[in-house]
Amino acid sequence: RRDMKAFGVKVSCIQPGLFKTPLTNPAKIMKEKEVIWNKLPPDIKKQYGEEYFQKDAAKKQKLSKICLNKDISPVVQCMEHALTSLHPRAHYIVGQDAKLFWNPLSRMPAVIQDFL
């Protein structure tokens, strides 16, 4: 965003939370991850361990249930505002989970972020 300012280009960062879209479908995500996992060489699978894949799958499933915003129109409205406004904002934080969790988390020290 700052790099482009030198060229007279204004950049707005749209920071959405988790929205329910085909890209966030937990079944689809896990199916794709399983395909990748199955293609990994045995030594790499051994390094990560089978429980890594299972724990990651459980985390994704849990996250998808608690944090998904169902109405994607606020993201589209932010995009429209950023593109058409005379004075667009530098940052748009979209979705309740982004406002209440992801954005505050991003401002915390790394040790707290990692713990959470």
Side-chain angles (χ1 to χ4, degrees), residues 45-59:
K45 284 185 187 179
K46 187 178 177 184
Q47 270 186 314
Y48 279 93
E50 185 67 32
E51 70 257 6
Y52 169 81
F53 185 79
Q54 300 305 325
K55 282 181 181 178
D56 187 59
K59 275 195 270 185

Side-chain angles (χ1 to χ4, degrees), residues 12-50:
S12 294
C13 298
I14 299 174
Q15 300 168 283
L18 297 173
F19 282 80
K20 188 171 184 156
T21 69
L23 289 174
T24 58
N25 180 331
K28 182 180 177 188
I29 292 169
M30 289 317 301
K31 195 175 193 180
E32 291 170 356
K33 284 186 124 184
E34 195 169 337
V35 168
I36 294 167
W37 179 260
N38 291 333
K39 289 181 182 178
L40 287 175
D43 58 323
I44 293 179
K45 284 185 187 179
K46 187 178 177 184
Q47 270 186 314
Y48 279 93
E50 185 67 32

Side-chain angles (χ1 to χ4, degrees), residues 1-3 8 17-18 29 42 54 58 66 87 94 101 103 109 113 116:
R1 189 180 68 74
R2 290 184 186 112
D3 291 342
L18 297 173
I29 292 169
Q54 300 305 325
I66 62 172
H87 302 287
V94 193
F101 183 72
N103 188 45
Q113 290 180 20
L116 294 173

